[in-house]
Structure formats: C-alpha cells, structure tokens
C-alpha cells in the first residue's frame, strides 16, 4: 500500500513514539499498516476509503475504534 496516508505522513509516523517506552518506534510502518487493517476490519472500509482520510480524521477514527472496543462493542 502506497497511499496518501503513508506518502503524506511518512515523517510524522517516523517520529512516532511508543507510548509505553517513550522511545521512537523502529516499527512505525508495520504499526501504521496494523492501524489501517484494524479500521478496515472494524468499520468494513476499503483501503481506498481509509486512504482518503486526512491524518486528523484517521486519528479520530482510531480513537473511536479504541473507545468502542474498550466499551465492549463488537463488530456485527
């Protein structure tokens, strides 16, 4: 996948810090792909639909997914 999120936000994710260790993540690309896969599965979106999100919307939807999963919601 070489979509808009990866192309436009390469530097942002390259500087992503692991929340637990507070160190730069060497595995940012795989973490990004995991996040894209999670959104696709949880909401039933295609990779093209996810690719059209800007980084702020991408982050908001990931936060919603996390909130819903923690609240015990399940995908129907």
């Amino acid at each position: 996948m070489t979509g808009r999120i990866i192309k436009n936000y390469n530097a942002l994710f390259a500087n992503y810090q692991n929340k637990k260790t507070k160190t730069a993540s060497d595995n940012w690309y795989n973490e990004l792909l995991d996040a894209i896969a999670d959104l696709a599965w949880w909401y039933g979106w295609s990779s093209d639909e996810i690719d059209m999100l800007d980084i702020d919307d991408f982050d908001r939807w990931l936060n919603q997914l996390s909130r819903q999963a923690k609240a015990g919601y399940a995908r129907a």
Side-chain angles (χ1 to χ4, degrees), residues 42 64-65 67-76:
W42 191 260
Q64 283 298 318
L65 187 158
R67 182 191 63 77
Q68 292 171 6
K70 287 177 184 175
Y73 292 19
R75 185 166 178 241

Side-chain angles (χ1 to χ4, degrees), residues 34-47 50 65 75:
D34 288 347
I36 291 169
D38 290 345
L39 284 176
W41 182 84
W42 191 260
Y43 295 113
W45 295 344
S46 70
S47 59
I50 295 167
L65 187 158
R75 185 166 178 241

Side-chain angles (χ1 to χ4, degrees), residues 35-67:
I36 291 169
D38 290 345
L39 284 176
W41 182 84
W42 191 260
Y43 295 113
W45 295 344
S46 70
S47 59
D48 289 337
E49 290 171 309
I50 295 167
D51 193 45
M52 295 307 296
L53 298 171
D54 64 32
I55 195 66
D56 291 329
D57 286 337
F58 184 77
D59 187 51
R60 279 187 209 97
W61 282 108
L62 282 176
N63 287 334
Q64 283 298 318
L65 187 158
S66 178
R67 182 191 63 77

